[in-house]
Structure formats: structure tokens, C-alpha cells
Amino acid sequence: MTREPEETVASKITRILAERIVSGALAPGEKLRQDHIAAEFGASHVPVREAFRRLEAQGLAVSEPRRGVRVAAFDPAEMREVAEMRSALEALALRHAVPHLTPAMLAEAERAADAADRCRDIRSWEAANRRFHRLLLAPCGMPRLLRTIDDLHAASARFLVGGSAAAWEPRVDVEHRAILAALRRGDADAACATLARHVKRIGPLPRRARVEQGGYPLFG
């Protein structure tokens, strides 16, 4: 039997652990045990360590001296940082993507926005919302920037899905429409400014942090 490449194994482990963290199946502060995870996936420690590094890059896990790797806690300061970074980097990506966006690409992004508006739970909404953003930003042709944005989206998803599922309500996102309208009329400045505001707008803090901080992280 052909051995599965370890990079592919690392990607699989990263994806599954990220899903568990985002859903809350792995709780904040819970230890990620390298031996147990390697045994579960029938893998060596090499892809598990790589998966841990990727989860840290996504803000989903933290490595602590003498304590190993744990699921990252909900940190209001980090939530604000993620929002600020997404605001700046997604606007940058969109500005570079604008010259390459075609009517067909905008139509596909509109279908993703329609799908998000029809969602009735936060996990399906988050996936559709992420697709909308990715469709608009992918033509920027800056793979390192897009990887960073993907990591920030993973952190946003964790804050939203892990802490806000009970409070989330279906909504029609008028800012998605405003971004598309600006792009269709060739107004890159308005599209980028709307996107920069938009990524800060959606999602209440987890209950405990909301009580402590008296505020909301804003993710779109």
C-alpha cells in the first residue's frame, strides 16, 4: 500500500483538529496530546507537530513551556487584533484583486452572499461568508497574503462559532451587497472602505468575556 505523504497527513490532522476547536468539541485550555493524536490518525509525530504549528499560526492553539500545546483561550484582546488585521489585510488584498475581477467572478461572489443570507445556523453561515470573502480576494495574486487572511478567518470562525452560536440570528448582509455594488460600478475605494468596516461588524463575544469586557468583537 502506498504511504500517504506526511504533508497531506498534517493537513488532514490540522483540518480535523481545527473543526473540533471551532465547534467547541475541544475546549479552551484543553491539552492536545501528541501521542494520542498520532495514534488516532495512525501517523508519526512529525505531521502532528506540523499540525500543531499550523493551529498556532491560526490562533487556535498555543504552545507553553513545560505544558505542551493547548487549545487557545478566548482572548478579547486577540479578537480585537484579529479584527484589525483582517480589516487592513483584506482591504489590501481586495485593492490588488480589483483589476482582475470579472463579471463572472462577481456573480459567483453574489451567489455566495445569497447562500449566506439563507443560512439558519452560524456554522453554515460562517462557511458561506468565508467563501464570499475568498472569491473576492483570491484574484489578488498574493499567495502569502491570502494564507495569512485564511489563518485570520480560522481565528474569526473559532470566536464566532465557539462563543456565539446561541446568540447568532439569521440576517441579510447589506454590506456584502454594498461591496458588490461598488465593485460593479468600478469604485475600488468605496469597495475597500466598506470591506474594511464590514469585517469588524459581526459576532458577540462569548458570554463570560462579554460580561467581563462589556463589548463585542466585530467580524464579517
Side-chain angles (χ1 to χ4, degrees):
M1 184 174 67
T2 302
R3 184 181 178 187
E4 187 179 16
E6 291 209 328
E7 181 65 20
T8 300
V9 174
S11 297
K12 178 181 178 181
I13 295 171
T14 304
R15 174 178 54 81
I16 292 174
L17 291 180
E19 289 173 354
R20 292 174 184 175
I21 293 169
V22 168
S23 70
L26 288 172
E30 186 169 343
K31 188 169 184 178
L32 299 177
R33 300 182 183 278
Q34 188 175 128
D35 289 345
H36 293 179
I37 292 169
E40 177 184 352
F41 289 93
S44 72
H45 287 187
V46 174
V48 177
R49 286 195 293 268
E50 175 62 22
F52 286 176
R53 284 192 289 269
R54 295 183 188 183
L55 292 171
E56 287 186 71
Q58 294 173 358
L60 300 178
V62 292
S63 178
E64 301 173 335
R66 296 182 297 279
R67 295 187 66 191
V69 178
R70 296 178 181 274
V71 176
F74 285 113
D75 182 350
E78 184 181 353
M79 295 177 192
R80 289 190 291 271
E81 181 182 9
V82 167
E84 292 292 338
M85 290 179 68
R86 279 191 58 195
S87 177
L89 297 183
E90 291 195 33
L92 174 64
L94 182 60
R95 191 166 294 280
H96 284 272
V98 165
H100 309 290
L101 286 168
T102 66
M105 291 174 179
L106 294 178
E108 188 175 2
E110 185 168 27
R111 287 192 290 273
D114 290 340
D117 290 346
R118 292 193 299 269
C119 289
R120 290 296 176 266
D121 65 87
I122 196 168
R123 294 195 69 178
S124 58
W125 174 85
E126 193 282 325
N129 178 69
R130 191 187 302 207
R131 176 170 166 75
F132 170 80
H133 285 255
R134 199 62 160 80
L135 287 167
L136 292 181
L137 304 182
C140 75
M142 303 172 75
R144 183 174 295 183
L145 175 61
L146 290 172
R147 286 195 297 271
T148 300
I149 291 170
D150 285 345
D151 287 344
L152 293 170
H153 268 279
S156 297
R158 192 280 180 99
F159 298 144
L160 284 168
V161 178
S164 307
W168 186 84
E169 296 178 355
R171 67 187 66 208
V172 173
D173 197 322
V174 296
E175 288 186 328
H176 283 174
R177 311 300 169 180
I179 293 166
L180 289 169
L183 291 170
R184 283 175 169 141
R185 66 175 182 266
D187 191 342
D189 288 342
C192 292
T194 303
L195 177 63
R197 292 192 304 270
H198 168 70
V199 297
K200 298 180 182 181
R201 290 199 187 283
I202 300 173
L205 282 164
R207 182 184 303 275
R208 180 177 175 183
R210 185 164 68 245
V211 170
E212 292 173 353
Q213 298 296 319
Y216 296 81
L218 305 168
F219 296 115

